[in-house]
Amino acid sequence: MADNFIVPGKIFHGLGTFNKLAELDGTKALIVTGKGSMKKAGFVDKAVELLHSAGIKSVVFDGVEADPSIETVMAGFDMMCNEQPDLIIGLGGCSAIDAAKAMWVFYEYPETKFEEIIPPFTIKPLRNKARFVAIPSTSGTGTEATCVSVITDREKGTKYPLVSYELCPDIAIVDAELCRSMPTHVTANTGLDALTHALEAYVTPLADAYTDSLAERAVVDIFENLPLAYQNGENLEARQKMHDASCLAGMSFTNALLGIVHSMAHQVGGMFGVPHGRANAILLPSVIRFNAQVCEAKYANLAKVLGESSSERLAWRIEELRNQVGVESCFKAYGVDESAWKAKVKTMAQNALNDACTGCNPRAPSLEELEQLLNLCYYSR
Ligand SMILES: [Fe+2]
């Protein structure tokens, strides 16, 4: 159990709360975003207008790509040094917000080198030259409420997870209007990622009353609203419930951390390009059955919020939900080649064993058990 609990300083949530940008204090904002849907849907221009009405000048860095690189972070950092903003706004999907978080760290500590902020928990308290505002356009990672940013080193072909309580945004704006154009499969994948965050956080050794209550509510709302948002993307009420649930799950897992669903999904994603949330959803029921040996009572407690009574029923309900939103039951059905899988599975198990998330799984797995779990999830149950 942890003895502290970190959340964003303020969360504006609900349809239309994007307009709260007009109520912020500051003199100059740097908006960090990509060239995709936020620009096309006019949210970048609208943000500039709203900030202008509050007397805040804006400059825009729109160079963030999917899986943002060190080079992108450094380009944004250079722009911050030139522009000297006192507000930094990450606007868009997880990549935009994660890139903005990393730029923010370098802006606060220009002398910092990338290698110095990894491994995790080594960032010094931020100097607060600027406040950080996160405005997500997908409902999955919960990065608007977490202390995590993932940056890619393309030269070395590796991803750096930057993890520090200092990375939690000062302000989050959780408005599902920004998710309206999210494609159906992204709605499913990201929603199941949020569900996995809640379920993994619920059973770690760091879980407590604070993180459990957030996870429970997230699970209820995801089961109720993910099928609705999946069937009809224009159902903004369901989209908002999903957006809020993602943020609740984010607050839960940034404090209680995650487990081996994520350890293995990182591998299956890296090796075979299976989208993160989809990989989680395929792995999650099998991991619940594996973990149940040491935490049946905890899972049974969570199952109660769905009107169920055991870990097995909880796993079954996840399989049913997964099916409802068009996600395969195994990696073979997703299309991962069998011989390539067999060639990589041992390496994936070894890397998953070394993944930072494995340390917080309620049941410590052996290398062989991870390989068995991966294989179980390759072939249809
Ligand atoms: Fe995740």
Side-chain angles (χ1 to χ4, degrees):
M1 197 181 293
D3 61 0
N4 57 39
F5 182 68
I6 308 289
V7 288
K10 189 165 206 170
I11 301 173
F12 295 107
H13 54 91
L15 295 169
T17 49
F18 189 73
N19 294 332
K20 293 288 181 185
L21 280 172
E23 295 176 20
L24 298 184
D25 291 325
T27 56
K28 192 186 235 185
L30 195 146
I31 300 170
V32 179
T33 190
K35 293 195 193 301
S37 61
M38 287 299 94
K39 264 200 125 169
K40 285 179 199 143
F43 283 106
V44 177
D45 290 342
K46 195 175 169 195
V48 171
E49 267 172 45
L50 289 164
L51 291 163
H52 179 72
S53 73
I56 302 169
K57 285 185 203 154
S58 298
V59 281
V60 178
F61 178 90
D62 64 1
V64 181
E65 75 281 35
D67 300 323
S69 66
I70 295 177
E71 291 74 21
T72 299
V73 171
M74 288 307 161
F77 159 60
D78 283 346
M79 192 167 175
M80 281 176 197
C81 291
N82 291 332
E83 299 289 346
Q84 293 291 308
D86 54 5
L87 266 184
I88 293 167
I89 300 177
L91 171 62
C94 176
S95 296
I97 295 173
D98 278 9
K101 280 181 180 175
M103 292 168 192
W104 181 38
V105 172
F106 285 97
Y107 183 50
E108 299 285 341
Y109 284 97
E111 70 279 11
T112 304
K113 293 188 173 59
F114 236 101
E115 308 80 66
E116 289 170 4
I117 54 173
I118 51 166
F121 298 105
T122 54
I123 302 175
K124 291 169 271 187
L126 294 180
R127 284 176 180 154
N128 289 320
K129 274 160 69 180
R131 283 179 305 143
F132 187 90
V133 183
I135 312 178
S137 65
T138 57
S139 311
T141 62
T143 185
E144 70 278 9
T146 73
C147 308
V148 183
S149 160
V150 180
I151 302 301
T152 300
D153 184 338
R154 302 223 192 283
E155 211 173 287
K156 293 186 183 146
T158 184
K159 288 190 175 191
Y160 295 133
L162 315 181
V163 185
S164 164
Y165 286 133
E166 293 298 322
L167 282 177
C168 194
D170 296 302
I171 298 171
I173 297 180
V174 184
D175 180 351
E177 285 280 0
L178 282 81
C179 310
R180 198 190 275 261
S181 62
M182 205 181 358
T184 309
H185 67 282
V186 180
T187 301
N189 294 345
T190 52
L192 291 167
D193 185 27
L195 179 69
T196 308
H197 295 156
L199 274 151
E200 290 222 280
Y202 200 75
V203 293
T204 75
L206 293 173
D208 58 22
Y210 293 79
T211 59
D212 281 0
S213 52
L214 293 166
E216 285 173 8
R217 181 59 191 260
V219 168
V220 170
D221 284 349
I222 292 168
F223 267 88
E224 229 172 81
N225 292 284
L226 181 56
L228 301 176
Y230 177 79
Q231 284 153 18
N232 175 14
E234 290 295 319
N235 182 342
L236 287 183
E237 201 183 319
R239 285 245 194 246
Q240 184 63 46
K241 289 269 174 59
M242 285 303 301
H243 219 30
D244 290 329
S246 166
C247 188
L248 297 177
M251 287 189 279
S252 182
F253 95 78
T254 205
N255 287 283
L257 306 181
L258 297 167
I260 60 172
V261 177
H262 271 75
S263 305
M264 292 189 283
H266 292 153
Q267 293 307 310
V268 182
M271 298 271 187
F272 297 105
V274 182
H276 175 67
R278 213 166 185 94
N280 280 338
I282 292 172
L283 292 157
L284 183 58
S286 297
V287 170
I288 288 174
R289 293 183 177 105
F290 174 79
N291 286 342
Q293 207 180 82
V294 299
C295 55
E296 175 61 34
K298 197 82 199 271
Y299 282 134
N301 203 42
L302 185 58
K304 273 190 217 154
V305 302
L306 299 173
E308 304 289 356
S309 59
S310 67
S311 64
E312 181 51 40
R313 287 295 302 171
L314 180 63
W316 186 86
R317 287 286 297 273
I318 292 162
E319 287 166 347
E320 186 187 53
L321 176 67
R322 192 173 67 182
N323 191 35
Q324 268 180 303
V325 298
V327 171
E328 301 76 15
S329 61
C330 63
F331 294 116
K332 189 170 191 209
Y334 176 78
V336 174
D337 178 73
E338 190 166 359
S339 56
W341 178 272
K342 284 179 176 165
K344 295 270 170 72
V345 70
K346 277 195 195 310
T347 309
M348 289 197 293
Q350 183 63 60
N351 293 348
L353 189 64
N354 297 336
D355 190 290
C357 293
T358 300
C360 272
N361 198 65
R363 181 177 168 191
S366 67
L367 179 62
E368 292 71 31
E369 284 167 337
L370 285 172
E371 190 180 335
Q372 281 164 15
L373 276 168
L374 282 163
N375 281 329
L376 186 65
C377 296
Y378 182 79
Y379 298 99
S380 190
R381 270 182 52 85

